[in-house]
Amino acid sequence: MTEFLFPRRCPFCHEIILQEGVTICPDCRRFVRRYYLVREPVCKRCGKALMRMETEYCMDCAGHRRSFDGGISLFQYGRRNLKPVKGKKPGYEKHSMGESILRFKYHNCRDYADYYIEELLHEHGKRLRALRPDVIIPVPVHPSRRRMRGYNQAEILAEKLGAALQTEVCSDLLIRIKKTKPQKELDDAKRLKNLSEAFVVSEKVPRRYRTVLLVDDIYTTGSTMEACSRKLKAAGVHRIYCISICSGQVPDAEGKKAGRR
């Protein structure tokens, strides 16, 4: 009855999915995997796509000290310059995973998380299990933003990932106490400064929390993950791996932008 009243919509084209148990249109799945999935080469620290195999780090990671130990990013955020797709409605090729994430984040499309985590496990499940995380922690949002949206999108992702990996999820250890300015309005140095006092660890970190998966929806310059990681490392966490659904398209260390080759 719930699916009849509130049918699942495709996280890419946003059309209603008629087939039960399917999280994305089959055609859209193939399209997304072809044009938006992050594949090698990737930054050895944060996991964003790189242009060249010989490049080890993106420009952000090459130019900044990182407190986290590694990262996985699933999709590239920006829109591709693609030709119209035969058999699809005009404008289909203009959909992007960035738009998908924005609907998930701001327009209550919470069931998109089922597809994101399904694809994350398909691509990176072996690696995630090999890390043997002790806990999964979502990047927190400020209480006022949570009240406005009604949920924390990173927490939804963390809960679904935790259920799949059978790993504990802790959503109240790391909290956000400062409502910061929009990051897109700031340069790299100001982004990190803007966030440096935004997060706190609310209580003593349990000794069993040695390896943490830190989960967020979007990774751009890494300032948010870095600020969170610094707080967790200072509180006693040994290893932190950052998991994001989408990453921004910033130049690699040679100044080239990554894209589908």
Side-chain angles (χ1 to χ4, degrees):
M1 179 62 72
T2 302
E3 289 190 4
F4 178 77
L5 295 174
F6 305 101
R8 181 185 290 274
R9 288 185 175 271
C10 174
F12 186 71
C13 71
H14 201 56
E15 296 293 327
I16 291 174
I17 299 175
L18 298 176
Q19 188 176 348
E20 187 176 350
V22 174
T23 59
I24 186 173
C25 300
D27 286 345
C28 289
R29 183 188 296 275
R30 289 189 287 270
F31 192 85
V32 169
R33 290 183 63 80
R34 180 176 181 182
Y35 294 109
Y36 288 93
L37 199 66
V38 171
R39 299 185 186 278
E40 293 286 350
V42 299
C43 175
K44 294 184 182 299
R45 183 50 58 100
C46 71
K48 286 187 294 189
L50 296 176
M51 190 67 178
R52 308 178 188 185
M53 289 297 297
E54 61 269 23
T55 305
E56 293 189 351
Y57 302 104
C58 68
M59 184 174 288
D60 291 315
C61 288
H64 300 88
R65 180 177 66 86
R66 295 304 195 193
S67 299
F68 51 84
D69 299 272
I72 292 173
S73 184
L74 184 60
F75 300 120
Q76 293 190 55
Y77 185 89
R79 181 179 287 118
R80 298 289 173 270
N81 294 317
L82 303 172
K83 295 179 180 179
V85 180
K86 187 177 180 180
K88 295 294 184 183
K89 294 179 181 179
Y92 176 85
E93 73 283 356
K94 295 181 180 180
H95 289 295
S96 72
M97 290 311 295
E99 291 173 346
S100 176
I101 284 288
L102 292 178
R103 290 195 297 266
F104 169 61
K105 187 171 185 173
Y106 296 114
H107 299 287
N108 205 30
C109 295
R110 305 186 203 189
D111 56 355
Y112 284 13
D114 293 327
Y115 166 66
Y116 300 152
I117 297 303
E118 178 184 285
E119 200 66 56
L120 179 67
L121 292 169
H122 181 270
E123 289 296 311
H124 302 286
K126 288 184 179 179
R127 181 183 174 188
L128 290 170
R129 292 182 176 92
L131 293 174
R132 301 180 67 182
D134 301 302
V135 66
I136 300 174
I137 296 178
V139 170
V141 296
H142 190 269
S144 63
R145 289 198 171 123
R146 185 183 185 115
R147 287 192 298 271
M148 180 178 66
R149 298 176 196 166
Y151 59 97
N152 173 8
Q153 70 281 354
E155 187 175 344
I156 292 173
L157 294 168
E159 292 287 353
K160 291 185 180 295
L161 182 58
L165 297 179
Q166 297 184 316
T167 300
E168 181 182 354
V169 176
C170 184
S171 300
D172 54 7
L173 180 65
L174 184 67
I175 61 175
R176 191 164 192 153
I177 60 171
K178 182 181 177 182
K179 189 175 181 180
T180 52
K181 297 177 181 178
Q183 292 289 84
K184 63 183 178 182
E185 298 176 4
L186 306 172
D187 60 28
D188 290 353
K190 289 181 180 178
R191 283 184 183 217
L192 188 54
K193 183 178 180 181
N194 186 40
L195 290 162
S196 61
E197 300 302 323
F199 302 101
V200 297
V201 176
S202 62
E203 57 189 66
K204 186 177 180 180
V205 175
R207 282 190 173 186
R208 67 182 184 278
Y209 289 178
R210 296 173 64 86
T211 299
V212 167
L213 294 184
L214 185 62
V215 176
D216 206 0
D217 56 338
I218 299 173
Y219 182 107
T220 50
T221 65
S223 299
T224 299
M225 292 292 202
E226 175 61 26
C228 292
S229 296
R230 288 186 184 185
K231 295 295 182 179
L232 290 168
K233 283 282 182 82
V237 172
H238 288 220
R239 290 174 294 276
I240 299 173
Y241 297 92
C242 299
I243 311 300
S244 58
I245 301 304
C246 272
S247 56
Q249 294 175 277
V250 297
D252 63 24
E254 277 71 38
K256 300 288 187 177
K257 278 193 174 182
R260 180 62 66 213
R261 293 165 292 285

